[in-house]
């Protein structure tokens, strides 16, 4: 079974800006995180993925780094970081740093030098090209609207930025760049961190000649065009040899555009590259026919079952899955895939059951364990995320969307839905800050907050706590084989897990309807391992309640 600690872990993602503010400036910080480690210990997680805390001008909230070995002033000091790391380790909690090395900030000293002249020693740290036929070097677009090229007058050339123009792409084909990155990673490992989440790592190797891609609705080719480039596996194998094998590390690659076949290489059990990847197929399950995320279409459950089962069976025994519904880039899953109104609590528990009983390492995004929901955006001024703000301006100006249509989609899918402050209690600003938060607190904080749920046995928090405990206690939850049942059912997601003679049945009703369900004969004498309603007896013929979920153990 190729047992590994990172296969048996449950990871909690912290977006520091919105987690806990310890000094009243309205911005979450490292000392705030340290003050909440006991809460995370109680939840039962054993790894934290820490979104970037490095020095940054915050064009993309820290995913634009100007110094990889210094802490962002707003978040605190390196001493604060060292204290947090030690305090986490004292509690048996490991820390994964967010490694953002597809690009730096344009304020990083490397880029400041690189743009000075064509013969500057740092010139080839980045991707510079002359105009082509009087225009951009190719038709690639930025993930944050507009072209992926910015003209720089000083040397009359363009530089590539797959994200904002303040995030110039590093030239990974330059061995000096790779050495700089590997040295920095080793510096963090020597400080004692336990691994890395690797930002858009599938994009670091660009296709030879930077050829045009297929234009999207905004007229530019998407950054997925550059995914899984010619040398990406070579560079990651070099990283494995020169860095990752220097400690008992855990690694997860965020792989926009990754296919199952590519994932078998990135996350292979041969452990030559990474331990696992974040794939994005299920995050596109409710995209519109234009292929954009800016829509409010509800998914067809059969599509979700097909995608997740493909990944469960596709990586079985040859690689390892990560399991997630949400993160700092996605809307809140209970609003997107569950029901954040009448069936809020049971549907949050149902989603948790469906995900945490699969094979792979589960990721809990801050607030997901409380069932935090999408928030309320009155006007475009309520948004903070450049992806949403840029999309608003570009897509309306281009006439692709009408203003009210796009605002409805932004309210539903904006990344800012995940970035509202963590709701700790029902006091002013949900206990996140004593000041004015950098982004509004969700108005439902008096109902949805950690203090209330810690005091209530059947809360979503305690349900997650039980799921996490089951993963620790039952080897079948980690290593059991997954098999889908009822593939064509539009409302029920049912699957089994098998390990030797042991077997689990997981049943999730993704609808607000009551649905009859016949228990497979082999589970007629089983017992309830966990359920989101008070399920007392196991009968052959059941009526599933709205968003009912349960796990039976044979
Ligand atoms: O995200 C890359 C990425 O794939 C996202 O931009 C995603 O495509 C989009 O947000 C979905 O709507 C990583 C980080 O997670 C994100 O926060 C950064 O903005 C981005 O890279 C650039 O570093
Ligand atoms: Ca603060």
């Amino acid at each position: 079974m190729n047992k590994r600690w990172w296969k048996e872990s449950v990871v909690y993602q912290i977006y520091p800006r919105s987690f806990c503010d310890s000094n009243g400036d309205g911005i979450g910080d490292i000392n705030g995180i340290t003050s909440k480690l006991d809460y995370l210990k109680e939840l039962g997680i054993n790894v934290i993925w820490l979104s970037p805390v490095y020095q940054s001008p915050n064009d993309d909230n820290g995913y634009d780094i100007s110094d990889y070995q210094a802490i962002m002033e707003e978040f605190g000091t390196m001493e604060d970081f060292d204290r947090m790391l030690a305090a986490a380790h004292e509690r048996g909690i490991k820390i994964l740093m967010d490694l953002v090395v597809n690009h730096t900030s344009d304020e990083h000293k490397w880029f400041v030098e690189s743009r000075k002249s064509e013969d500057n020693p740092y010139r080839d740290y980045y991707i510079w090209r002359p105009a082509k036929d009087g225009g951009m070097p190719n038709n690639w677009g930025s993930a944050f609207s507009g072209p992926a090229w910015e003209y720089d007058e000083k040397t009359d050339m363009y530089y590539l930025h797959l994200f904002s123009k303040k995030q110039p792409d590093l030239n990974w084909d330059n061995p000096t760049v790779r050495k700089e990155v590997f040295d920095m990673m080793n510096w963090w490992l020597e400080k004692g961190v336990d691994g890395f989440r690797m930002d858009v790592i599938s994009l670091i190797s660009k296709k030879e000649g930077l050829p045009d891609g297929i234009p999207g609705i905004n007229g530019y080719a998407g950054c997925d065009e550059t995914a899984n480039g010619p040398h990406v596996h070579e560079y990651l194998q070099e990283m494995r040899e020169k860095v990752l094998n220097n400690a008992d590390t855990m690694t997860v690659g965020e792989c926009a555009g990754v296919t199952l076949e590519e994932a078998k290489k990135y996350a292979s059990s041969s452990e030559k590259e990474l331990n696992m990847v974040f794939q994005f197929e299920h995050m596109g399950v409710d995209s519109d026919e234009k292929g954009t995320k800016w829509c409010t279409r509800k998914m067809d459950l059969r599509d979700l079952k097909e995608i997740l089962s493909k990944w469960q069976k596709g990586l079985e025994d040859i690689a390892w899955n990560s399991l997630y519904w949400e993160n700092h880039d996605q809307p809140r899953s209970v609003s997107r895939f569950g029901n954040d109104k009448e069936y809020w609590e049971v549907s949050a528990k149902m989603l948790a059951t469906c995900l945490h009983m699969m094979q792979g390492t589960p990721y809990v995004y801050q607030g997901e364990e409380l069932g935090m929901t999408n928030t309320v955006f009155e006007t475009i001024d309520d948004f903070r995320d450049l992806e949403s703000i840029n999309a608003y301006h570009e897509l309306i100006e281009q006439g692709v969307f009408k203003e009210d249509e796009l605002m409805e989609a932004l309210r539903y899918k904006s990344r800012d839905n995940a970035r509202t402050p963590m709701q700790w209690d029902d006091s002013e600003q949900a206990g996140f800050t004593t000041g004015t938060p950098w982004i509004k607190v969700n108005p439902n904080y008096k109902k949805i907050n950690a203090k209330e749920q810690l005091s209530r046995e059947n809360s979503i928090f305690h349900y997650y706590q039980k799921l996490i405990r089951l993963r620790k206690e039952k080897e079948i939850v980690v290593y059991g084989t997954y098999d889908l049942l009822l593939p064509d059912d539009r409302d029920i997601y049912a699957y089994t897990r098998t390990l030797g003679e042991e077997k689990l049945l997981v049943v999730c009703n993704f609808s607000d309807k009551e649905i009859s369900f016949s228990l497979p004969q082999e589970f007629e004498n089983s017992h309830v391992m966990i359920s989101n309603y008070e399920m007392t007896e196991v009968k052959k013929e059941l009526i599933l309640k709205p968003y009912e979920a349960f796990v039976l153990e044979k």
Side-chain angles (χ1 to χ4, degrees):
M1 278 188 286
N2 206 5
K3 288 188 175 184
R4 291 289 186 275
W5 64 264
W6 38 265
K7 293 183 178 181
E8 299 162 9
S9 294
V10 178
V11 184
Y12 188 91
Q13 181 195 355
I14 291 178
Y15 193 71
R17 197 168 196 83
S18 308
F19 189 65
C20 180
D21 170 23
S22 69
N23 63 350
D25 65 357
I27 297 168
D29 47 54
I30 288 172
N31 288 336
I33 295 171
T34 305
S35 74
K36 296 295 182 183
L37 289 174
D38 286 334
Y39 166 82
L40 297 178
K41 183 71 186 161
E42 184 165 352
L43 178 61
I45 58 97
N46 65 309
V47 181
I48 289 170
W49 153 23
L50 184 61
S51 276
V53 293
Y54 319 96
Q55 205 167 76
S56 163
N58 281 310
D59 188 53
D60 185 17
N61 281 358
Y63 282 89
D64 50 314
I65 296 164
S66 53
D67 186 339
Y68 288 99
Q69 291 168 242
I71 299 297
M72 188 189 307
E73 220 168 295
E74 293 173 326
F75 287 166
T77 66
M78 190 58 83
E79 290 69 31
D80 295 335
F81 177 86
D82 293 340
R83 246 195 322 276
M84 178 201 63
L85 180 64
H89 285 169
E90 276 161 25
R91 292 164 175 80
I93 297 176
K94 294 175 183 285
I95 301 277
L96 305 187
M97 298 301 280
D98 205 322
L99 184 76
V100 187
V101 289
N102 171 70
H103 48 271
T104 69
S105 163
D106 64 346
E107 299 181 25
H108 194 289
K109 67 176 185 303
W110 299 341
F111 189 73
V112 171
E113 286 300 316
S114 180
R115 71 189 320 173
K116 280 180 180 171
S117 67
E118 288 192 55
D119 58 0
N120 184 289
Y122 290 89
R123 187 66 174 183
D124 284 344
Y125 274 44
Y126 296 88
I127 299 169
W128 294 92
R129 292 292 185 279
K132 183 179 163 192
D133 308 330
M136 307 279 172
N138 68 19
N139 73 345
W140 293 357
S142 158
F144 300 148
S145 303
W149 296 94
E150 181 67 13
Y151 180 69
D152 205 56
E153 200 162 2
K154 187 103 165 61
T155 58
D156 185 26
M157 289 179 91
Y158 290 85
Y159 66 85
L160 178 68
H161 60 85
L162 296 180
F163 294 93
S164 89
K165 64 184 177 188
K166 284 183 69 62
Q167 293 170 293
D169 280 55
L170 280 167
N171 172 17
W172 270 78
D173 295 332
N174 181 345
T176 311
V177 165
R178 299 200 298 273
K179 182 178 184 318
E180 293 269 20
V181 170
F182 298 160
D183 288 351
M184 174 269 288
M185 292 176 73
N186 278 319
W187 185 83
W188 280 104
L189 288 183
E190 281 147 31
K191 279 182 75 66
V193 305
D194 304 284
F196 302 95
R197 175 267 185 184
M198 300 188 189
D199 192 62
V200 293
I201 203 68
S202 57
L203 306 182
I204 60 174
S205 168
K206 276 63 175 177
K207 286 179 183 160
E208 307 295 333
L210 310 182
D212 278 354
I214 299 161
I217 55 157
N218 65 355
Y220 298 107
C223 65
D224 286 6
E225 282 292 326
T226 67
N228 314 311
H231 302 290
V232 67
H233 297 293
E234 180 191 324
Y235 296 157
L236 286 177
Q237 287 163 27
E238 185 185 356
M239 182 193 284
R240 166 62 63 184
E241 285 148 30
K242 295 180 177 171
V243 181
L244 302 177
N245 281 338
N246 294 341
D248 183 11
T249 55
M250 174 176 181
T251 50
V252 54
E254 186 209 27
C255 292
V258 70
T259 60
L260 191 58
E261 288 317 305
E262 285 295 325
K264 291 175 184 174
K265 299 175 200 165
Y266 286 116
S268 156
S269 301
S270 65
E271 298 179 32
K272 288 195 171 66
E273 296 180 31
L274 308 177
N275 299 141
M276 63 193 90
V277 298
F278 290 136
Q279 57 85 17
F280 279 75
E281 277 188 61
H282 64 313
M283 291 291 109
V285 74
D286 51 3
S287 290
D288 66 6
E289 59 290 339
K290 300 183 199 119
T292 74
K293 62 184 275 188
W294 303 120
C295 63
T296 56
R297 185 173 81 83
K298 283 292 184 185
M299 70 165 171
D300 180 327
L301 181 65
R302 292 171 298 175
D303 297 335
L304 182 74
K305 295 198 286 189
E306 186 185 345
I307 291 167
L308 293 180
S309 301
K310 180 181 90 172
W311 282 88
Q312 286 285 303
K313 301 308 283 183
L315 296 189
E316 188 176 289
D317 297 333
I318 45 177
W320 192 252
N321 273 294
S322 68
L323 305 171
Y324 72 97
W325 290 134
E326 58 183 86
N327 56 43
H328 65 294
D329 290 335
Q330 300 298 334
R332 288 291 183 175
S333 54
V334 69
S335 301
R336 182 181 187 182
F337 302 126
N339 175 309
D340 61 8
K341 303 278 182 301
E342 184 184 358
Y343 297 105
W344 161 68
E345 188 146 273
V346 283
S347 73
K349 292 175 181 178
M350 181 280 290
L351 288 169
T353 309
C354 183
L355 191 78
H356 282 251
M357 282 292 147
M358 284 187 195
Q359 187 177 78
T361 299
Y363 288 72
V364 180
Y365 177 61
Q366 67 182 45
E368 184 179 1
E369 79 280 9
L370 302 176
M372 278 178 66
T373 69
N374 276 2
T375 190
V376 177
F377 298 106
E378 301 295 339
T379 73
I380 191 63
D381 298 335
D382 284 340
F383 292 91
R384 295 290 175 274
D385 178 20
L386 81 169
E387 181 194 46
S388 299
I389 295 164
N390 292 357
Y392 175 84
H393 293 297
E394 176 183 76
L395 296 173
I396 291 171
E397 276 156 25
Q398 284 184 344
V400 176
F401 285 93
K402 294 189 188 64
E403 204 261 353
D404 57 348
E405 187 192 9
L406 185 54
M407 275 303 289
E408 190 191 11
L410 287 172
R411 287 188 181 104
Y412 183 61
K413 283 285 199 57
S414 170
R415 302 193 301 181
D416 278 328
N417 279 301
R419 301 174 179 188
T420 61
M422 183 70 179
Q423 294 163 203
W424 294 108
D425 57 41
D426 61 0
S427 71
E428 185 76 15
Q429 305 300 359
F432 164 72
T433 179
T434 54
T436 305
W438 68 278
I439 186 170
K440 281 182 193 162
V441 170
N442 190 317
N444 65 18
Y445 72 94
K446 287 194 182 297
K447 171 191 163 201
I448 301 176
N449 64 73
K451 183 181 175 194
E452 190 280 325
Q453 292 198 28
L454 285 166
S455 68
R456 185 159 50 86
E457 186 45 42
N458 68 347
S459 65
I460 300 168
F461 175 91
H462 284 117
Y463 195 87
Y464 268 86
Q465 189 184 56
K466 189 170 180 187
L467 284 170
I468 293 168
R469 191 167 53 241
L470 284 171
R471 182 167 284 270
K472 283 185 189 133
E473 291 167 356
K474 305 271 180 183
E475 213 170 58
I476 186 172
V477 176
V478 180
Y479 296 107
T481 304
Y482 165 105
D483 287 290
L484 179 69
L485 305 178
L486 308 174
D488 300 327
D489 193 294
R490 292 167 177 268
D491 300 306
I492 299 171
Y493 195 149
Y495 61 85
T496 60
R497 299 290 303 281
T498 307
L499 185 66
E501 292 309 304
E502 289 179 83
K503 201 158 184 178
L504 304 179
L505 171 67
V506 184
V507 177
C508 299
N509 178 2
F510 268 75
S511 82
D512 58 2
K513 298 177 292 211
E514 290 201 345
I515 303 178
S516 60
F517 176 80
S518 299
L519 216 49
Q521 191 269 332
E522 63 181 321
F523 283 94
E524 284 176 14
N525 301 314
S526 59
H527 75 272
V528 181
M529 190 187 228
I530 189 169
S531 67
N532 65 349
Y533 285 87
E534 284 317 305
M535 184 175 182
T536 47
E537 58 169 328
V538 174
K539 294 181 294 184
K540 167 121 185 81
E541 298 303 331
L542 293 165
I543 302 289
L544 300 181
K545 299 180 185 70
Y547 298 100
E548 180 162 9
F550 58 78
V551 180
L552 302 183
E553 188 176 17
K554 208 171 81 169

